Amino acid sequence: MQASFTCVGGGRVKIIFMSVLKVGIVGFGHLGQYLYTQIVGSTTHEVAFVWNRTADKIVEFGVPQNLILADLDGVKNVGNVDIIVEVAHPDITRTYGELFLSVADYFVGSPTIFADAEVDTKLRYCPFPPSFIDTQKTCIDR
């Protein structure tokens, strides 16, 4: 979003408004907790949701109930998410990578999953518009 104004001297000034980056956190071990703490204290980022295999850990940490995602399939119903950060396990990317990319940008914190050629190929083509996706590849339309 940007606006442009004419100054008294005739010059132009462009002001760019930056929106807050909404982050989903998948995994709530030490790294997930650290990310959550840093984002909550930020003026440029906001927590969109937090998920962990064991939700009790999130509740005990004091995360508000409205930010706790009970099931990763529910990510499609969260709404405005700019980026999903996975800090859980490579299998999360194998199972949910396409879904995550269908709703947001995706930061894979367990990159060893890309040693699996099938996962690598499947996700490599997801960020592109459907017209660029080879018909042999699969990806949920963004």
Side-chain angles (χ1 to χ4, degrees):
M1 175 189 290
Q2 62 185 23
S4 177
F5 300 96
T6 303
C7 295
V8 176
R12 307 237 357 125
V13 174
K14 186 185 291 185
I15 299 173
I16 299 173
F17 300 95
M18 189 171 121
S19 61
V20 173
L21 190 70
K22 295 179 179 145
V23 182
I25 302 170
V26 175
F28 207 66
H30 294 295
L31 190 50
Q33 291 173 19
Y34 175 79
L35 289 170
Y36 176 81
T37 303
Q38 294 302 306
I39 293 169
V40 166
S42 170
T43 58
T44 59
H45 295 73
E46 177 180 297
V47 176
F49 71 85
V50 179
W51 176 88
N52 196 58
R53 183 176 47 87
T54 53
D56 293 349
K57 193 172 196 177
I58 303 170
V59 173
E60 290 169 10
F61 197 82
V63 174
Q65 191 65 41
N66 66 317
L67 295 179
I68 299 173
L69 188 63
D71 181 348
L72 285 175
D73 284 319
V75 75
K76 58 188 165 229
N77 303 318
V78 171
N80 236 353
V81 180
D82 296 307
I83 187 165
I84 297 171
V85 179
E86 175 270 317
V87 288
H89 190 277
D91 283 340
I92 296 295
T93 297
R94 179 185 324 280
T95 306
Y96 296 99
E98 286 183 281
L99 175 61
F100 292 167
L101 283 168
S102 76
V103 298
D105 290 331
Y106 182 38
F107 179 87
V108 180
S110 303
T112 56
I113 190 61
F114 295 116
D116 180 327
E118 183 180 337
V119 173
D120 180 61
T121 302
K122 182 170 63 170
L123 296 183
R124 184 177 301 274
Y125 292 93
C126 274
F128 300 103
S131 61
F132 289 94
I133 298 174
D134 185 302
T135 55
Q136 299 300 311
K137 312 267 187 299
T138 60
C139 185
I140 299 168
D141 293 347
R142 202 165 187 191

